Amino acid sequence: MRDIAAFLQSTIMGKTLYTAPLVYSLENGRLEGDYRDQMSFTNLLLSSTGMRFDLLVVSRERIFHMENGQRAELRKDFSGASHFRYELAKRKSTGRITGSMRYIAASFDDVPAEGMTSAVLNMRLEDGEVRWSEKESIYRDQPSADGGYKPVAFEAECRMFVENGRAAYAYNGRCLDVDPDTLARTPSDSVLPAFVAREKGTQSAG
């Protein structure tokens, strides 16, 4: 775990990363979202049994109802600031680093984010990158094409790395529909793009 903490401290902690504007499709194209953000990982603390660090995000995210391929109405504005905390430990049974990423606070308007938690699985230093998987523990509310909301959960493969001498973070996620009674998950018709946040001055790797 100390090797991961050293990598994070030397490459990404305290730096501001930016996600370029991107567009994604929900509800089989009946809704469309746009997103951009800036984020910082900070407050790394290493103990004898684990480590924790915070993620601060300021985002602009809007979801629109689509008609004839055009944006017809703003359905929801998720723009705001949010604070998450990663808490991790190396398990003696497996030698793997696991833990959680949980909501701390946010400035969203009418977005029930309290209680949102993701499992963090198999964090590791591999091929010069810190890699791990995230699985949302319960579900979140996502706007639906009928004007209401539906329960969904995100699962993702995440990476922290250095690209052309600058810090970068990648979140390659997928959206799953959730049965609120059984919590069973099935593939969703909503498609998430790959999110890549980069320290300013980074050029995309060819």
Side-chain angles (χ1 to χ4, degrees), residues 165-183:
R166 302 279 181 163
Y169 163 78
Y171 179 97
N172 189 6
R174 62 178 182 142
C175 181
L176 300 168
D177 293 335
V178 177
D179 183 318
D181 296 319
T182 66
L183 299 184

Side-chain angles (χ1 to χ4, degrees), residues 4-103:
I4 293 176
F7 179 92
L8 299 182
Q9 187 65 54
S10 65
T11 62
I12 204 164
M13 287 293 148
K15 297 180 178 179
T16 301
L17 311 181
Y18 299 84
T19 302
L22 49 82
V23 175
Y24 59 93
S25 175
L26 303 174
E27 295 283 274
N28 216 16
R30 291 171 290 177
L31 299 175
E32 183 176 88
D34 59 35
Y35 182 90
R36 69 176 185 267
D37 71 25
Q38 66 182 62
M39 64 174 64
S40 295
F41 292 92
T42 187
N43 298 332
L44 175 65
L45 178 64
L46 183 66
S47 70
S48 61
T49 58
M51 68 177 177
R52 78 181 191 199
F53 55 88
D54 292 340
L55 169 60
L56 309 176
V57 183
V58 178
S59 62
R60 177 173 174 81
E61 183 175 20
R62 302 172 300 169
I63 295 177
F64 297 87
H65 175 70
M66 302 293 286
E67 290 184 3
N68 301 317
Q70 301 295 320
R71 293 179 175 181
E73 177 187 4
L74 177 65
R75 275 292 319 279
K76 187 65 181 177
D77 190 336
F78 288 103
S79 302
S82 51
H83 177 191
F84 299 92
R85 176 160 294 159
Y86 285 81
E87 296 169 308
L88 302 141
K90 186 174 183 178
R91 307 304 165 185
K92 292 185 177 181
S93 57
T94 61
R96 294 186 176 184
I97 297 171
T98 66
S100 65
M101 187 273 282
R102 62 186 177 91
Y103 164 93

Side-chain angles (χ1 to χ4, degrees), residues 11 15 128-129 159-169 196-206:
T11 62
K15 297 180 178 179
E129 302 180 349
R159 300 185 296 135
M160 292 178 179
F161 56 101
V162 176
E163 181 183 67
N164 297 330
R166 302 279 181 163
Y169 163 78
V196 182
R198 296 179 171 92
E199 189 181 1
K200 278 196 171 178
T202 302
Q203 299 294 320
S204 287

Side-chain angles (χ1 to χ4, degrees), residues 82-172:
S82 51
H83 177 191
F84 299 92
R85 176 160 294 159
Y86 285 81
E87 296 169 308
L88 302 141
K90 186 174 183 178
R91 307 304 165 185
K92 292 185 177 181
S93 57
T94 61
R96 294 186 176 184
I97 297 171
T98 66
S100 65
M101 187 273 282
R102 62 186 177 91
Y103 164 93
I104 301 295
S107 65
F108 300 125
D109 180 27
D110 192 30
V111 179
E114 288 80 1
M116 289 179 58
T117 303
S118 293
V120 177
L121 304 172
N122 196 24
M123 183 175 281
R124 62 207 184 274
L125 185 60
E126 183 176 84
D127 296 331
E129 302 180 349
V130 172
R131 300 175 179 174
W132 71 95
S133 301
E134 286 184 12
K135 291 187 177 182
E136 207 157 51
S137 301
I138 308 176
Y139 57 83
R140 67 172 67 200
D141 297 323
Q142 179 173 284
S144 56
D146 63 7
Y149 291 85
K150 60 188 283 190
V152 302
F154 291 173
E155 297 183 357
E157 298 300 319
C158 304
R159 300 185 296 135
M160 292 178 179
F161 56 101
V162 176
E163 181 183 67
N164 297 330
R166 302 279 181 163
Y169 163 78
Y171 179 97
N172 189 6

